């Protein structure tokens, strides 16, 4: 009988509604927002492979990191990867996408936008 009670408790916990990150409010009253960027500790090779995947099969919108576009400069793999990772994450996070990219990415709550390069955030 104790096992049955444990199984029922686990079933109830598993069916409890889950809080979405987008519904969380910070202590200052503002909505919690997050972007997906390249991890500073990832190698250029790791970042390039993840960037190629994100802009290819991943379906990220990488138009803004093309030459003569707002996010092309600085022309560094880390910067291009950050934009592509965030594009992918924002586009697919509601479908279960993560900010992982084989450990080459991380979540930040600091807006990585700079100058005319705006990193999208979708609630």
């Amino acid at each position: 009988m104790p096992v049955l009670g444990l199984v029922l408790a686990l079933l109830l916990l598993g069916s409890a509604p889950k809080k979405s990150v987008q519904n969380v409010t910070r202590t200052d009253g503002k909505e919690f927002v997050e972007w997906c960027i390249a991890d500073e500790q990832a190698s250029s090779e790791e970042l390039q492979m993840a960037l190629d995947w994100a802009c290819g099969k991943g379906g990220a919108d990488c138009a803004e990191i093309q030459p003569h576009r707002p996010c092309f400069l600085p022309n560094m793999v880390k910067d291009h990867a950050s934009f592509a990772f965030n594009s992918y994450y924002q586009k697919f996070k509601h479908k279960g996408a993560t900010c992982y990219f084989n450990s080459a990415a991380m979540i930040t709550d600091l807006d990585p936008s700079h100058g005319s390069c705006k990193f999208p955030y979708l609630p």
Side-chain angles (χ1 to χ4, degrees):
M1 282 301 198
V3 173
L4 181 59
L6 178 62
V7 170
L8 287 173
L10 289 173
L11 286 173
L12 288 174
L13 285 174
S15 64
K18 307 217 179 358
K19 266 192 173 178
S20 169
V21 171
Q22 288 72 32
N23 293 333
V24 175
T25 303
R26 299 180 341 181
T27 55
D28 61 5
K30 296 180 180 177
E31 179 184 4
F32 180 80
V33 295
E34 58 188 22
W35 292 267
C36 179
I37 59 170
D39 189 325
E40 294 282 339
Q41 297 180 15
S43 71
S44 292
E45 293 79 20
E46 291 171 314
L47 292 173
Q48 187 64 58
M49 286 182 5
L51 170 61
D52 291 344
W53 181 87
C55 292
K57 290 183 181 181
D61 180 0
C62 296
E64 297 300 299
I65 57 175
Q66 298 305 309
H68 311 292
R69 298 300 304 251
C71 299
F72 179 70
L73 296 175
N75 184 12
M76 305 286 291
V77 68
K78 178 185 70 67
D79 297 286
H80 288 186
S82 288
F83 189 87
F85 295 171
N86 186 66
S87 171
Y88 170 84
Y89 180 66
Q90 298 299 331
K91 188 174 180 180
F92 298 111
K93 65 185 176 184
H94 295 295
K95 295 180 180 178
T98 63
C99 177
Y100 181 67
F101 296 94
N102 205 24
S103 294
M106 58 185 268
I107 292 289
T108 183
D109 62 349
L110 300 174
D111 186 350
S113 299
H114 51 90
S116 62
C117 178
K118 304 300 180 202
F119 278 56
Y121 166 74
L122 302 172

